[in-house]
Amino acid sequence: MLACLDDLRDRARSHLPRFVFDYLEGGAEDESGLRRNLQALEHTLLLPRALRDTAQVESAIDVFGERWARPYAVAPTGFNALYRPGGDAMLARAAGRAGVPFCLSTASNMRLEAVRQQADASLWLQLYVMSDRGIAEHMLARARAAGYKVLVLTVDVAVSGRRPRDLRNGFRVPFKPSLRLAADLCRHPAWSLRQLFAPMPDFANLAAEQGARLSAQAQAALLARAMDRSLAWQDFAWLRRHWAGPLVVKGLLHPEDARQAVAAGADGIIVSNHGGRQLAAAPAAISQLPAVLDAVAARVPVFVDGGFRSGADIAKALALGATAVFLGRPFLYGLAAAGEAGVDAVFDFLAQDLERAMILCGARSPAELRGLAGLPPAATGFPGGAWVPAAPMSPPAAAQPLLRERARSA
């Protein structure tokens, strides 16, 4: 029985070779950024309201003209075939059954068209802009043709974070055989046999044509996040020539960057420190959420990711004013532990946990959670034991007219 998400994490750890689990779990440098995400969520508290009618609870939200059954979605994660062959499609199908979007990574191991064919879900595409911008342009054209709804531009990977676990394990593409790797694989026969009869994971979406093989240099470049470091706010004009739909900027922490994103034409923001995998000294995403919300002033939806492990964690972000939460590692635990059924189990666990948190807080909807989160006095330094609540945020009503105007002009 799944008592908590840690149960699936433990199963994933026992199932996966060490180099794969470390790739999933690891963070940058001393991993303090990864830990900070978890600690900041732990220190963010919910302040329940009593004697409110919660006989009926509804967790659905509206985003970019679509109805999400739940206020959270699947974040973009790369190399999902390492956990299960066909993992991208498994995650997308589970998201479709849950009624929420799945965001496909540039570093996915399945072609975006194949995921579209195999999954009845709202699909978003996450984009890394590499030095050859023609790769991005080609992907955007294919995504438009395949019916992807939203583009997520990730902007916090100008250079790859230093990840000691991967360095110690010799994690690279293509994989380099070694005695240590062979011993690791022998200790995990189920995973090894499954991978033996599956194609070698590669970055399928970087190839121009189906079936074309990428060079080892091209794959290594994406694994090392060899991105276009000249990309700047003025390049939104270039992106808009190739993508007329909603454009979300992922990886912002500074409120001034949030203002610039909106001014440049972004339709949404994901507050994120890349799961603690880029700059270990960066603040936790949840800690920057209030400042970003204040800077954006409800003009566009503001999402958040990083360290979320439970429905109560999701409720905290909603209470602070986030539109929704993206989760990565929890769904990968389920994928590694039990395949598609494991991903379904994570969705079920989060849904039950979030509903329980909402009821205990006296909230019948995500909107009624707003203002019910804050930091305890010990974490804020405020004297006198006073509760420091979050300021209630109004929904980003201005976002829809902007999108409709852009659609008319496209």
Side-chain angles (χ1 to χ4, degrees):
M1 176 182 176
L2 177 63
C4 64
L5 196 63
D6 281 344
D7 293 345
L8 271 180
R9 179 183 176 276
D10 290 343
R11 293 182 200 176
R13 185 170 194 166
S14 65
H15 176 74
L16 295 174
R18 177 173 178 172
F19 79 98
V20 178
F21 184 78
D22 279 354
Y23 177 73
L24 187 168
E25 190 79 345
E29 302 165 41
D30 63 355
E31 300 193 344
S32 58
L34 190 157
R35 294 191 297 272
R36 199 172 295 116
N37 278 340
L38 300 173
Q39 291 164 355
L41 276 163
E42 180 183 354
H43 291 153
T44 303
L45 303 181
L46 292 165
L47 185 63
R49 298 296 304 274
L51 292 178
R52 288 187 168 186
D53 181 0
T54 54
Q56 298 294 325
V57 174
E58 174 60 69
S59 63
I61 60 172
D62 294 307
V63 179
F64 298 139
E66 289 192 324
R67 188 74 166 171
W68 296 19
R70 306 167 183 182
Y72 49 90
V74 183
T77 54
F79 251 128
N80 292 331
L82 275 181
Y83 315 119
R84 292 277 168 160
D88 293 307
M90 292 180 181
L91 289 163
R93 285 193 295 266
R97 285 190 292 273
V100 303
F102 166 74
C103 188
L104 183 73
S105 171
T106 292
S108 65
N109 301 132
M110 290 184 67
R111 301 278 288 182
L112 61 89
E113 295 87 351
V115 175
R116 172 75 285 169
Q117 292 168 2
Q118 296 185 34
D120 182 18
S122 175
L123 297 181
W124 294 23
L125 177 67
Q126 178 269 339
L127 181 67
Y128 289 131
V129 179
M130 303 178 70
S131 298
D132 180 0
R133 293 192 182 183
I135 296 174
E137 293 172 0
H138 185 63
M139 283 187 65
L140 294 180
R142 290 166 49 211
R144 289 198 312 271
Y148 280 66
K149 301 290 187 182
V150 177
L151 177 65
V152 177
L153 175 68
T154 297
V155 297
D156 57 0
V157 288
V159 65
S160 181
R162 183 176 180 84
R163 301 174 190 171
R165 294 201 206 194
D166 293 345
L167 293 172
R168 295 188 192 102
N169 293 327
F171 189 94
R172 67 188 69 185
V173 176
F175 301 126
K176 184 177 180 180
S178 69
L179 290 176
R180 180 179 178 181
L181 176 60
D184 199 4
L185 298 181
C186 288
R187 288 192 294 268
H188 300 87
W191 182 93
S192 300
L193 285 172
R194 189 178 293 115
Q195 294 293 329
L196 180 64
F197 295 102
M200 178 69 71
D202 66 3
F203 299 120
N205 278 305
L206 296 190
E209 302 295 337
Q210 172 73 34
R213 295 294 297 179
L214 285 174
S215 68
Q217 291 81 4
Q219 297 196 56
L222 182 54
L223 188 64
R225 305 295 191 269
M227 302 304 159
D228 183 354
R229 287 158 59 184
S230 70
L231 192 71
W233 294 115
Q234 57 266 30
D235 292 308
F236 268 54
W238 162 71
L239 271 177
R240 281 302 183 191
R241 290 198 296 270
H242 299 279
W243 186 265
L247 170 59
V248 174
V249 180
K250 180 180 185 294
L252 299 185
L253 293 168
H254 198 292
E256 186 55 37
D257 283 340
R259 293 188 188 94
Q260 284 193 275
V262 175
D267 301 303
I269 290 168
I270 302 179
V271 182
S272 173
N273 66 4
H274 213 97
R277 292 165 71 85
Q278 282 297 101
L279 179 65
I286 192 73
S287 70
Q288 293 303 107
L289 178 61
V292 170
L293 285 164
D294 184 62
V296 167
R299 288 174 288 174
V300 300
V302 175
F303 311 95
V304 64
D305 70 21
F308 292 86
R309 299 291 186 269
S310 68
D313 286 345
I314 294 168
K316 293 174 184 180
L318 300 175
L320 288 171
T323 300
V325 172
F326 281 85
L327 299 96
R329 288 184 179 94
F331 294 118
L332 298 183
Y333 296 151
L335 181 67
E340 200 164 330
V343 183
D344 287 334
V346 174
F347 270 116
D348 291 343
F349 169 73
L350 291 174
Q352 295 166 13
D353 203 30
L354 175 60
E355 181 173 313
R356 184 181 301 108
M358 290 173 64
I359 293 171
L360 291 174
C361 284
R364 293 167 296 181
S365 68
E368 290 190 0
L369 281 169
R370 290 193 180 98
L372 299 184
L375 294 173
T380 60
F382 277 73
W387 174 262
V388 185
M393 299 294 296
S394 59
Q400 300 308 321
L402 288 173
L403 288 174
R404 288 194 293 270
E405 180 62 30
R406 182 167 289 124
R408 285 196 295 270
S409 61

